[in-house]
Amino acid sequence: MKNETLTLNTHRLISGLVAQGVHDFIVSPGSRSTPVALLLAERVRQQSSLRLYVDVDERSAAFFALGIAKTRQVPVVLLCTSGTAAAEYLPALAEAHLTHVPLVVLTTDRPLELTNIGAPQAIEQTDLYGKQVKQSQRIDLQVAGNENADFIAFQSQRSVLAALDNPSGPVQLNLPLRKPLLPDLDITPPAIKQLAVAPVTAVLAPDTLTELVGQLQVKKVLLLAGPEETPTYRAGLLALSKKCHWPILADNLANLRGRGTVITDYDLLFQAQTRLPAALQPEVILRFGGTPVSAPLMQWLGQQTVPVYLVGAQRQLADYSRATTHVLAVDEQSFLTALTTALPAQNTGYFDDWQQISQRLQAQLNVPATLNEVTTVQTLDRALPVASRLFISNSMPIRDVEDFYQGQQVRELYCNRGANGIDGVVSTAAGMATLGGANYLLIGDLALFHDMNGLMMVRRYQLPLTVVVINNNGGGIFSFLPQASAADYFEDLFGTPQALDLAKVAALYERSYQKVTTITEFEQALAADAQLIEVVSQRTTNLQLHRQLIRTVQESLANHD
Amino acid sequence: MKNETLTLNTHRLISGLVAQGVHDFIVSPGSRSTPVALLLAERVRQQSSLRLYVDVDERSAAFFALGIAKTRQVPVVLLCTSGTAAAEYLPALAEAHLTHVPLVVLTTDRPLELTNIGAPQAIEQTDLYGKQVKQSQRIDLQVAGNENADFIAFQSQRSVLAALDNPSGPVQLNLPLRKPLLPDLDITPPAIKQLAVAPVTAVLAPDTLTELVGQLQVKKVLLLAGPEETPTYRAGLLALSKKCHWPILADNLANLRGRGTVITDYDLLFQAQTRLPAALQPEVILRFGGTPVSAPLMQWLGQQTVPVYLVGAQRQLADYSRATTHVLAVDEQSFLTALTTALPAQNTGYFDDWQQISQRLQAQLNVPATLNEVTTVQTLDRALPVASRLFISNSMPIRDVEDFYQGQQVRELYCNRGANGIDGVVSTAAGMATLGGANYLLIGDLALFHDMNGLMMVRRYQLPLTVVVINNNGGGIFSFLPQASAADYFEDLFGTPQALDLAKVAALYERSYQKVTTITEFEQALAADAQLIEVVSQRTTNLQLHRQLIRTVQESLANHD
């Protein structure tokens, strides 16, 4: 048997990952990673529940892994060779760390005798990711013996568990490897001792629940649902809201819009004026999910003096409004079930008041029937298939979806809403599309340009993804910011037009392409499953449109007060 | 005056950078970086010696900065917004750190009250780059007062000096900024106290030099010149070599080939056999420059028991052969001048012996006159203009240049030969092309794909760069490695064909394009200044060609021994 120790230990490493629930592996080609890559490929061929993807660009690979992990809600493994390849993972890891997405990063490395001594393709990989990962460990796959075999199987499983543990996030396993690197492809994987981890649920102490129930009776309670791409407690929140007639201000990424007692217009409302009409003022606020997309909502929240409960096991008191007065680090679904059971049904008319304002605001919003950045979002809202997935880029798209997407159908919405970067968006959406079904990406031209390499994965694995590009030739969001007044420098520094010809992008990545200029054309392109749809916009016109719509909202509110 | 403190302090920051020799600024668009970006743009408009480039993709921006800094030999400044944008710099910083390239990275950040608390676009940026930078400091630009003003000007200058100090490398300045971010564009920059740094030179103590001269007289001394893209001591090394008739085994990146007593064939020789013919065996070895591209040379070096002197102020004993017996951390040019002066002229016939073997080897190399990966390099060697620059990608191109580029004309050759990544190659070459003149890039299809975004900078700034792509549809180097035997998995994991249509790449980035299939066509395309030239190759044919050439060398050596 050739290279037996390395082969057996690599099998143990892989078995440990699989034992703890890893099904997806994203590999970037390289030399140092050879034993792990080959034995992984062999395992994937033998075990049909496993999937392996190859991505040449490690930056794209890491976002692709993020896309799979955040939509499937499973831990995903990355594998790369030594050197800058490993450094390429950092942006996606920073995002995964903030959004609690479990990733296990296998960075293969030069052995100790070849690090920091001028050897090629060797950078310092220990703690390469600093505070952007939850932990960083090292495994030596080339030490023989039972003691070490047990260590590898244990450590490998432990790394997945660490990634999954609340708050979930990325972990690094650094694997120094000496030549020869070629494993034996004819060895049966040895058995490993498997770790069974009993699921636990964090619940409130009975007295605390009773106390809370007392505080919530017959009150104007406002439910704030921030981004929560997992479906774990949606039903529970809707049930509570329905029983007590409490409105849910639901971020698009809470994936609750269009259902039950949900309000969607709060961001427009707070853009129009910084305070609420008196009838809408809450007495208690219960917050769920991550940081809302709506900055005006958070500004308003920061000024509130009523009790604010922050609920959730992953949340770690991340609240930049600093309005939180009570932290309930509980499992949301259990908490919601217990609370809804304990509370009597009630209706103070609070939801109706919110709904009335919302309906009037919607009635008075007068969006021109041209195809623009607002009607693009409204068209997606209206026309996308039920049960499809929509990935939304940061910058303008997520803001427009926040304001103009009502949730007319039940779909799943996703966004990289941890560090809010415009990088890696295409690759993350491509990862999402590995789930199959109907998948859409709404993105601007700059973010598309930043991560065009992601389209290679779409092409290579024939992933079902329709990319809708709002092409305003540059960074549209900056027109909304104070620097727009610095006319001499604005276009060079912020507008940054790239004059990207999207027809040529589509040709390069073999996407069917359609440019649309009317809402009807856009609907037809969506219906025809065009793979890359270009919506042309102008940044100045878009600014005017948004300003005009906010004025409309202001008038609607003024007439009422 | 609006936002006076921020404006004045940002001016001091910029003045500090300029005072210590920064001329080039690479900015990526973003919101948090607004005050620095705007005041930089204003300064650049006022001061014609300064240059500002805008790159939407921060990963590409960092490699672009690296390309400028390594070819101009000056410190270069990067500026980005907060979040994953900053994380995108890591791969280029890892490379700059290993190759001692001075970069100053300005990462703008959220203020303290908005970090680690769920605020958008905020990741932990303190020590973000860990051991890949020399130092990481923080400057608060929003504190008024003379004390603070002095601190900013001092710290800003100190950061450039830290980047330049031996061994040079990247440093981070993290800049937390609170809103409002818009600076006043009508303020005259305040004067700052400038630091004058006296240049020092590390020289050998006289006794040590005398001792060394004694050891070097009438000996077979082998000079090894590793990568050294700066021209500081080339003349000195050539003068020493000429006076004593000592051969220089010159890495291509030493930029000495084709001049004086230089030998270029050692890598082929050591590929063919691991020992030297007896006549070529040295009694003393003097090493200059970084880690040679030739791994066989380093393997041979590791087995030597003769004295090995490692010479150079930047080197830090980076020697993975571990053959070094003496470290001379001196300024190379001063050392070479002193040594050459002190040594009497001598000729033991040692260079002639090397030259004889080299000439026979060259005479017997029988490269087919078709256009292949070897003749591509030979054609560049023969046909590129004098005084042009050639950037070489990692993986196969740098190895082929090592073996088949003789230096027929005086040109400057560059490569990212610290971490040896295939990432960022196009952007680094684009940075090089900002120097003007005639610039070429030799790259494979995978590396081109990895960093296509770099072509946007070439297009946007109309940089004079001819890109020669060897298109063998995948990772050619892996065919040379043991994993080529794992036939079942090889193509998926290592070959990784991307089927990139280079004509479409050229169209997207508005490059004139030509596919060439013969040497003559290739020469014509070069003469016609085609901007993207595709050389089609097959990985299997290429492997056979290389194997055949090594057999020729073996025969040539065997006939002689």
Side-chain angles (χ1 to χ4, degrees):
Chain A
M1 227 190 288
K2 46 189 183 178
N3 224 347
E4 180 178 8
T5 298
L6 174 61
T7 302
L8 289 172
N9 285 339
T10 304
H11 272 307
R12 292 183 179 105
L13 170 79
I14 294 168
S15 297
L17 300 172
V18 174
Q20 293 303 329
V22 174
H23 291 89
D24 298 274
F25 299 85
I26 322 300
V27 175
S28 294
S31 169
R32 193 60 40 176
S33 49
T34 296
V36 191
L38 279 173
L39 292 172
L40 251 182
E42 186 188 48
R43 187 73 67 92
V44 169
R45 197 169 285 190
Q46 290 161 358
Q47 207 164 320
S48 64
S49 63
L50 305 182
R51 292 171 291 266
L52 184 148
Y53 299 91
V54 178
D55 193 341
V56 168
D57 180 346
E58 294 85 4
R59 172 174 74 174
S60 165
F63 279 107
F64 188 80
L66 177 76
I68 297 176
K70 79 188 291 174
T71 52
R72 284 192 196 267
Q73 295 299 316
V74 292
V76 173
V77 168
L78 282 156
L79 172 68
C80 68
T81 188
S82 66
T84 52
E88 293 275 349
Y89 286 164
L90 189 65
L93 297 184
E95 173 65 23
H97 190 58
L98 289 170
T99 44
H100 313 305
V101 177
L103 298 176
V104 178
V105 177
L106 307 179
T107 53
T108 55
D109 196 359
R110 297 259 155 166
L112 283 185
E113 66 271 19
L114 291 179
T115 42
N116 292 319
I117 194 168
Q121 219 171 319
I123 69 173
E124 179 55 75
Q125 291 184 194
T126 309
D127 293 329
L128 177 63
Y129 306 120
K131 293 183 178 168
Q132 314 306 322
V133 292
K134 291 178 67 179
Q135 68 174 41
S136 172
Q137 307 270 355
R138 202 173 59 199
I139 293 183
D140 188 337
L141 297 171
Q142 289 168 312
V143 179
N146 288 338
E147 181 68 19
N148 197 58
D150 285 350
F151 164 74
I152 290 167
F154 193 81
Q155 186 70 299
S156 167
Q157 293 180 80
R158 220 169 68 93
S159 70
V160 184
L161 294 172
L164 287 168
D165 231 23
N166 276 349
S168 307
V171 303
Q172 180 197 13
L173 277 182
N174 197 45
L175 308 172
L177 289 164
R178 275 180 202 87
K179 291 181 180 176
L181 297 170
L182 199 67
D184 189 334
L185 285 170
D186 298 311
I187 294 183
T188 306
I192 63 163
K193 191 167 73 177
Q194 300 206 357
L195 272 172
V197 182
V200 295
T201 305
V203 297
L204 272 194
D207 287 356
T208 314
L209 182 68
T210 307
E211 202 180 318
L212 180 62
V213 167
Q215 285 169 354
L216 293 178
Q217 291 206 35
V218 202
K219 293 244 181 168
K220 291 183 174 180
V221 177
L222 191 60
L223 303 172
L224 295 190
E228 190 74 78
E229 293 157 342
T230 67
T232 54
Y233 62 89
R234 286 179 204 160
L237 194 58
L238 288 167
L240 173 64
S241 162
K242 189 174 170 194
K243 183 168 184 185
C244 299
H245 292 80
W246 293 338
I248 307 176
L249 306 199
D251 194 284
N252 253 298
L253 301 172
N255 282 308
L256 286 164
R257 290 194 177 181
R259 289 175 250 184
T261 40
V262 167
I263 300 293
T264 60
D265 321 282
Y266 55 88
D267 182 71
L268 286 172
L269 196 156
F270 286 122
Q271 280 187 61
Q273 60 178 46
T274 54
R275 61 183 185 79
L276 279 181
L280 305 192
Q281 188 62 35
E283 294 167 284
V284 175
I285 297 170
L286 294 190
R287 262 191 77 184
F288 298 80
T291 300
V293 169
S294 171
L297 169 66
M298 289 299 276
Q299 276 159 21
W300 169 82
L301 185 61
Q303 291 151 12
Q304 301 312 302
T305 51
V306 301
V308 177
Y309 292 81
L310 187 66
V311 185
Q314 295 267 25
R315 299 277 80 87
Q316 301 284 303
L317 197 42
D319 174 16
Y320 80 94
S321 80
R322 297 184 295 277
T324 303
T325 55
H326 297 69
V327 177
L328 307 180
V330 293
D331 173 74
E332 292 94 336
Q333 181 60 31
S334 310
F335 167 73
L336 285 163
T337 305
L339 187 64
T340 307
T341 308
L343 280 166
Q346 52 182 286
N347 187 353
T348 62
Y350 186 45
F351 169 70
D352 296 333
D353 289 340
W354 269 96
Q355 194 179 33
Q356 200 185 346
I357 297 268
S358 169
Q359 283 170 346
R360 198 175 58 245
L361 189 154
Q362 286 298 324
Q364 300 201 6
L365 260 190
N366 192 11
V367 184
T370 57
L371 184 60
N372 52 52
E373 300 191 23
V374 171
T375 53
T376 298
V377 167
Q378 292 176 326
T379 304
L380 292 172
D381 190 14
R382 191 174 57 248
L384 292 191
V386 181
S388 58
R389 293 179 207 92
L390 173 60
F391 200 95
I392 306 150
S393 175
N394 279 306
S395 201
M396 282 309 287
I398 189 65
R399 286 174 172 78
D400 280 337
V401 168
E402 183 59 20
D403 286 343
F404 303 108
Y405 185 96
Q406 298 290 321
Q408 297 193 20
Q409 300 290 350
V410 175
R411 304 182 193 105
E412 299 288 328
L413 271 57
Y414 297 96
C415 180
N416 283 340
R417 209 58 197 170
N420 300 2
I422 63 158
D423 48 346
V425 175
V426 179
S427 298
T428 318
M432 171 185 83
T434 62
L435 273 77
N439 299 279
Y440 299 85
L441 166 62
L442 178 65
I443 191 168
D445 55 299
L446 283 196
L448 177 81
F449 164 70
H450 208 299
D451 187 30
M452 273 196 299
N453 282 5
L455 291 175
M456 183 58 93
M457 292 299 280
V458 178
R459 173 181 143 192
R460 181 162 184 186
Y461 292 99
Q462 299 182 36
L463 302 174
L465 180 68
T466 298
V467 181
V468 177
V469 185
I470 296 179
N471 188 0
N472 53 26
N473 196 18
I477 199 167
F478 298 115
S479 302
F480 290 78
L481 299 178
Q483 53 261 51
S485 68
D488 280 1
Y489 307 102
F490 181 78
E491 202 57 13
D492 266 3
L493 289 177
F494 302 102
T496 63
Q498 304 293 310
L500 204 62
D501 185 332
L502 292 179
K504 291 178 179 167
V505 174
L508 178 61
Y509 292 101
E510 297 177 354
R511 307 286 88 202
S512 64
Y513 162 80
Q514 208 166 330
K515 184 190 284 196
V516 294
T517 54
T518 67
I519 292 172
T520 308
E521 279 178 12
F522 183 32
E523 284 171 342
Q524 286 166 347
L526 287 170
D529 284 333
Q531 293 170 316
L532 197 153
I533 303 174
E534 175 176 8
V535 177
V536 178
S537 174
Q538 282 73 40
R539 285 182 262 136
T540 46
T541 319
N542 185 50
L543 176 67
Q544 288 158 8
L545 170 63
H546 281 76
R547 293 237 162 113
Q548 171 56 34
L549 292 174
I550 294 301
R551 275 196 297 273
T552 311
V553 175
Q554 282 167 337
E555 285 157 19
S556 138
L557 291 166
N559 295 342
H560 181 65
D561 264 11
Chain B
M1 227 191 289
K2 48 191 180 176
N3 225 346
E4 181 178 7
T5 298
L6 174 60
T7 302
L8 289 172
N9 285 339
T10 304
H11 272 307
R12 291 182 180 107
L13 170 78
I14 295 170
S15 297
L17 301 171
V18 173
Q20 293 304 328
V22 174
H23 292 89
D24 298 275
F25 300 85
I26 322 301
V27 176
S28 293
S31 170
R32 193 58 44 175
S33 50
T34 296
V36 190
L38 279 173
L39 292 173
L40 251 182
E42 186 190 47
R43 188 73 66 93
V44 169
R45 197 169 284 189
Q46 289 159 357
Q47 206 165 322
S48 64
S49 63
L50 306 181
R51 292 171 291 266
L52 185 149
Y53 299 91
V54 178
D55 193 340
V56 168
D57 181 346
E58 294 85 4
R59 171 173 77 173
S60 166
F63 279 107
F64 188 79
L66 177 76
I68 297 177
K70 78 189 291 176
T71 51
R72 285 192 195 267
Q73 296 299 316
V74 292
V76 173
V77 169
L78 282 156
L79 172 69
C80 68
T81 188
S82 66
T84 52
E88 293 276 348
Y89 286 164
L90 189 65
L93 297 184
E95 173 64 23
H97 190 58
L98 290 171
T99 45
H100 314 305
V101 177
L103 298 177
V104 178
V105 177
L106 307 179
T107 53
T108 54
D109 197 358
R110 296 259 154 168
L112 284 184
E113 67 271 19
L114 291 178
T115 43
N116 293 318
I117 194 167
Q121 218 172 317
I123 70 173
E124 179 56 74
Q125 292 185 196
T126 309
D127 293 328
L128 178 62
Y129 307 119
K131 292 182 179 169
Q132 315 305 322
V133 291
K134 290 179 68 180
Q135 69 174 41
S136 173
Q137 306 271 353
R138 201 173 61 198
I139 292 182
D140 188 336
L141 297 171
Q142 289 168 313
V143 178
N146 287 337
E147 181 69 18
N148 198 58
D150 285 350
F151 164 75
I152 290 166
F154 193 82
Q155 186 71 298
S156 167
Q157 294 180 79
R158 220 168 69 92
S159 71
V160 184
L161 294 172
L164 287 168
D165 230 23
N166 277 349
S168 308
V171 303
Q172 180 196 14
L173 276 182
N174 197 44
L175 307 173
L177 288 165
R178 276 181 201 89
K179 290 182 181 174
L181 297 170
L182 198 65
D184 189 334
L185 285 171
D186 298 311
I187 293 184
T188 307
I192 64 162
K193 192 167 71 177
Q194 301 205 358
L195 272 171
V197 182
V200 295
T201 304
V203 296
L204 272 194
D207 287 357
T208 315
L209 181 68
T210 307
E211 202 181 316
L212 180 63
V213 167
Q215 286 169 354
L216 294 178
Q217 291 206 34
V218 201
K219 294 242 181 169
K220 292 184 175 180
V221 177
L222 190 61
L223 302 171
L224 295 190
E228 190 73 79
E229 294 157 342
T230 68
T232 55
Y233 62 88
R234 285 178 205 159
L237 195 57
L238 289 167
L240 173 65
S241 163
K242 192 177 169 193
K243 184 168 183 183
C244 300
H245 292 81
W246 293 339
I248 307 176
L249 305 198
D251 195 284
N252 253 298
L253 300 173
N255 281 308
L256 286 165
R257 290 195 177 181
R259 288 176 250 184
T261 40
V262 167
I263 300 293
T264 61
D265 319 283
Y266 55 88
D267 182 71
L268 287 171
L269 196 156
F270 286 122
Q271 281 188 59
Q273 61 178 47
T274 53
R275 61 180 184 81
L276 279 181
L280 304 193
Q281 187 64 33
E283 292 167 285
V284 174
I285 297 169
L286 294 190
R287 261 190 78 187
F288 298 80
T291 300
V293 169
S294 171
L297 169 67
M298 288 300 277
Q299 276 160 22
W300 169 82
L301 186 62
Q303 291 152 10
Q304 301 313 299
T305 52
V306 300
V308 176
Y309 291 81
L310 187 65
V311 184
Q314 295 266 26
R315 300 277 80 89
Q316 302 283 301
L317 199 40
D319 174 16
Y320 79 94
S321 80
R322 298 186 294 278
T324 303
T325 55
H326 297 70
V327 177
L328 308 179
V330 292
D331 173 74
E332 292 94 337
Q333 181 59 31
S334 309
F335 167 74
L336 286 163
T337 304
L339 187 64
T340 308
T341 306
L343 280 166
Q346 52 183 286
N347 188 352
T348 63
Y350 186 45
F351 169 70
D352 296 333
D353 289 342
W354 268 96
Q355 194 179 32
Q356 202 185 345
I357 297 266
S358 170
Q359 283 170 347
R360 199 174 57 246
L361 190 155
Q362 285 299 322
Q364 299 201 8
L365 261 191
N366 193 11
V367 184
T370 56
L371 183 61
N372 53 52
E373 300 190 25
V374 172
T375 53
T376 298
V377 168
Q378 292 176 326
T379 305
L380 292 173
D381 190 13
R382 193 173 56 248
L384 292 191
V386 182
S388 58
R389 293 179 207 93
L390 173 60
F391 200 96
I392 306 150
S393 175
N394 278 307
S395 201
M396 281 309 286
I398 189 66
R399 286 174 172 77
D400 280 337
V401 168
E402 183 59 19
D403 286 343
F404 304 108
Y405 184 94
Q406 298 290 323
Q408 298 192 20
Q409 299 289 351
V410 174
R411 301 181 195 106
E412 299 289 328
L413 271 59
Y414 296 96
C415 180
N416 282 340
R417 209 58 196 171
N420 300 1
I422 64 158
D423 48 347
V425 175
V426 179
S427 297
T428 318
M432 172 186 81
T434 62
L435 273 76
N439 298 280
Y440 298 86
L441 167 62
L442 178 65
I443 192 169
D445 55 299
L446 283 196
L448 177 81
F449 164 71
H450 209 298
D451 186 30
M452 273 195 299
N453 282 5
L455 292 176
M456 184 58 93
M457 291 300 278
V458 178
R459 173 182 143 192
R460 181 161 183 188
Y461 293 99
Q462 300 182 35
L463 301 173
L465 179 69
T466 298
V467 181
V468 177
V469 185
I470 295 178
N471 189 359
N472 54 26
N473 196 17
I477 199 166
F478 298 114
S479 301
F480 291 77
L481 299 177
Q483 53 262 50
S485 68
D488 279 1
Y489 307 102
F490 181 78
E491 203 56 13
D492 266 4
L493 289 177
F494 301 102
T496 61
Q498 304 292 310
L500 204 61
D501 186 332
L502 293 180
K504 290 177 180 168
V505 173
L508 179 59
Y509 292 102
E510 297 178 353
R511 307 285 89 201
S512 64
Y513 162 81
Q514 208 168 329
K515 184 190 284 197
V516 295
T517 54
T518 66
I519 292 173
T520 308
E521 280 177 11
F522 184 29
E523 285 171 341
Q524 285 165 349
L526 287 170
D529 285 334
Q531 293 172 317
L532 197 153
I533 303 173
E534 176 175 7
V535 177
V536 178
S537 174
Q538 282 75 39
R539 285 183 262 134
T540 47
T541 318
N542 185 49
L543 175 67
Q544 288 158 7
L545 170 63
H546 281 76
R547 293 237 162 110
Q548 171 56 34
L549 291 174
I550 294 301
R551 274 195 297 274
T552 310
V553 175
Q554 282 166 337
E555 285 157 19
S556 138
L557 291 165
N559 295 342
H560 180 66
D561 265 9

